[in-house]
Amino acid sequence: MASRAVMPTRSGGGGPIALGKPASQPLTEEDELMWDDGTANPEYCLDQFNLVGRWEAFGMLAAGLGFFGLVAFAARLNDKASRMPYVPREYPFDNLKAELGGFDVKGSTQH
């Protein structure tokens, strides 16, 4: 049987992360904004993202939404389906003019 010094330690419970200090005095009001998972480095509950400022982010959002609005407006201007939502029918014998009593397929009479 191998000695304990040679055998690997499993389920140590602590791991490589240092543990935080237990609370020894009343907690502050801002303590509810911290995520204390028991390690020495607690995190903020709300993300602290300072790479992009508020107005720069708003500019990016406005530019993106403006681009999609421009694409939608261009698609609306070039909407061929709204101008002719069906395929024009073509019938034999001069579009069945004699069979329809002189009416054209579009409904207009030709005398």
Side-chain angles (χ1 to χ4, degrees), residues 4-89:
R4 289 185 163 245
V6 179
M7 293 184 68
T9 305
R10 294 187 174 94
S11 302
I17 300 172
L19 297 177
K21 298 177 184 175
S24 60
Q25 54 188 352
L27 300 176
T28 62
E29 186 176 350
E30 292 83 20
D31 190 64
E32 63 187 15
L33 299 176
M34 299 295 288
W35 177 262
D36 189 9
D37 55 355
T39 62
N41 302 316
E43 303 175 28
Y44 287 104
C45 290
L46 304 174
D47 290 336
Q48 301 291 321
F49 190 74
N50 298 325
L51 240 72
V52 180
R54 175 186 299 172
W55 295 109
E56 187 178 0
F58 178 72
M60 290 179 191
L61 177 69
L65 291 177
F67 175 74
F68 283 120
L70 184 66
V71 169
F73 182 71
R76 182 179 169 95
L77 287 179
N78 195 21
D79 188 17
K80 294 179 183 178
S82 68
R83 286 182 257 154
M84 190 173 210
Y86 55 87
V87 178
R89 295 182 182 180

